[in-house]
Amino acid sequence: MTYASLNQPLRVGIVGSGFVAKLRAEILSQDARIKLVAIAGTPEKAQAIAQEFNIPKVHQYWSELVVRPDVDLVVVCNVNRDHGAVVGQALRSGKHVIVEYPLSFNLAEAEELVKLAQQQNLLLHVEHIELLGGVHQLVMEHLAKVGTPFYARYSTKSPQRPVPDKWTYKPDLFGFPLTAAVSRLNRIIVLFGKVKAVSCQLRYSGANLPHHFTSCVCNAQLQFENGVIADISYSKGENFWQPERIMELQGSQGALIFSADKGKLITADGEMELDAGTTRGLFKKDTENVLSHLFTGTPLYTNHESILHSLAVANAAEKAAATNQIVML
């Protein structure tokens, strides 16, 4: 599917007024093919972004922005809970859409949105910048050298003290941790394909549960159809004391192990150092990939199939955590 006949400038509206919304506005404002038309979000914050990047119109409600006749593309970066609703309304209004993950909390809704975009011949791009990062690129490059993979682990811990009063610590806005952080699942699924069984444990801490948590730990175990077993762990908040970002892949002929951006390939022949560089600039890469897809038809770096399967696995993990049972997909 190509939209290469698009008129320039492409007129863009941004939904959201936090860190990512500002970053998107900054990146888009530097592209001659783009005209930023409107932003919707918390009034003061949206106003500040609008002033900095010359966005003429500020809306308090996203429902006003997505129906504007002078908007061709809507960029969705507001609270996770509302992604599905905003994307649906934007697509029904005939707009192309870029949305930060997750596309929705709910697999059935996500499938409907993908179908809607296809029917309307509209772009629906779900951002997964980890796939553009150095660690993932190096894993793709060297995966064949570990022989037959059988075990994978991806673990992140983010200490935060004190925890900010932000929506990212409110379960109803943030979502089940591995849905909110579905990219953790997606990067393993992109490597190993379909998951057949999921188990999961979740624990929140804090004085204001269930409305606000100060720590969460969420661990899932995935069994892939190809035999790979994976442990995925997402933890953050006040009860963690040391940050961690580990990606580990073990195979019959070797292993790939990354801690943050430094890694190594270990085989019978010895160890090879791998440096993944910085994670800076990934949102820019994502934006450039999408615009190049819209204007010239180059392929996107993500696909709907793996995004929907990752969400199916996240929903299964949520069910497994609630029932304390293994959930089959």
Side-chain angles (χ1 to χ4, degrees):
M1 197 188 304
T2 173
Y3 321 94
S5 59
L6 278 179
N7 297 330
Q8 294 185 26
L10 186 70
R11 300 165 302 174
V12 176
I14 296 175
V15 174
S17 49
F19 169 74
V20 174
K22 184 178 175 181
L23 196 55
R24 289 283 191 191
E26 184 183 346
I27 293 163
L28 290 163
S29 71
Q30 294 163 356
D31 194 304
R33 300 167 294 182
I34 298 296
K35 183 176 179 213
L36 289 171
V37 173
I39 183 167
T42 313
E44 297 107 74
K45 290 165 81 177
Q47 197 70 55
I49 295 172
Q51 268 171 338
E52 187 172 348
F53 301 106
N54 287 329
I55 305 174
K57 193 74 187 128
V58 178
H59 293 277
Q60 186 172 352
Y61 302 109
W62 61 259
S63 53
E64 297 166 354
L65 181 144
V66 297
V67 296
R68 287 180 69 103
D70 60 349
V71 166
D72 307 307
L73 166 70
V74 176
V75 180
V76 183
C77 25
N78 61 341
V79 299
N80 291 348
R81 179 198 63 194
D82 296 343
H83 286 184
V86 183
V87 170
Q89 197 57 57
L91 291 172
R92 283 189 288 275
S93 306
K95 317 298 184 196
H96 298 293
V97 177
I98 296 174
V99 58
E100 307 306 325
Y101 63 79
L103 171 55
S104 165
F105 282 170
N106 176 296
L107 176 65
E109 181 181 42
E111 288 172 337
E112 283 300 311
L113 295 171
V114 165
K115 202 154 76 180
L116 183 60
Q118 285 162 348
Q119 284 164 353
Q120 307 260 39
N121 197 25
L122 292 166
L123 167 86
L124 170 56
H125 169 70
V126 187
E127 169 271 307
H128 272 272
I129 54 172
E130 289 77 3
L131 301 180
L132 297 169
V135 171
H136 187 77
Q137 298 299 318
L138 285 170
V139 166
M140 296 290 279
E141 188 186 329
H142 295 287
L143 189 59
K145 297 169 189 163
V146 306
T148 307
F150 62 88
Y151 176 72
R153 176 166 78 101
Y154 188 55
S155 171
T156 58
K157 293 186 175 69
S158 306
Q160 190 98 55
R161 192 170 305 103
V163 160
D165 183 26
K166 280 165 73 173
W167 64 268
T168 48
Y169 283 85
K170 295 174 180 171
D172 61 328
L173 300 179
F174 185 64
F176 176 74
L178 285 178
T179 306
V182 70
S183 65
R184 307 293 193 280
L185 300 170
N186 185 252
R187 64 190 306 167
I188 300 283
I189 284 164
V190 164
L191 295 173
F192 301 123
K194 290 272 198 286
V195 173
K196 64 175 184 180
V198 181
S199 56
C200 185
Q201 304 79 38
L202 168 65
R203 182 179 166 182
Y204 290 120
S205 319
N208 290 325
L209 296 175
H211 308 295
H212 183 266
F213 62 87
T214 52
S215 290
C216 85
V217 54
C218 187
N219 291 341
Q221 300 77 40
L222 315 181
Q223 292 179 45
F224 283 83
E225 286 178 0
N226 68 359
V228 170
I229 288 175
D231 285 318
I232 312 283
S233 178
Y234 175 87
S235 308
K236 68 177 183 182
E238 292 180 350
N239 291 356
F240 293 93
W241 301 88
Q242 186 169 327
E244 175 179 87
R245 180 157 54 91
I246 288 178
M247 176 113 173
E248 172 189 355
L249 303 169
Q250 301 279 355
S252 56
Q253 305 293 314
L256 280 162
I257 297 171
F258 282 87
S259 178
D261 297 315
K262 296 277 184 276
K264 52 191 176 184
L265 168 68
I266 306 166
T267 63
D269 298 332
E271 293 189 7
M272 177 172 132
E273 299 290 322
L274 302 170
D275 188 344
T278 172
T279 53
R280 288 178 69 84
L282 295 183
F283 274 104
K284 193 169 191 319
K285 275 189 187 170
D286 170 85
T287 310
E288 282 165 357
N289 174 250
V290 179
L291 294 179
S292 152
H293 175 72
L294 277 169
F295 288 119
T296 62
T298 54
L300 288 169
Y301 71 92
T302 58
N303 67 75
H304 288 152
E305 193 188 0
S306 80
I307 279 161
L308 290 174
H309 187 60
S310 301
L311 205 49
V313 173
N315 283 186
E318 184 171 8
K319 189 176 170 188
T323 58
N324 216 3
Q325 309 222 321
I326 292 176
V327 175
M328 306 302 290
L329 272 87

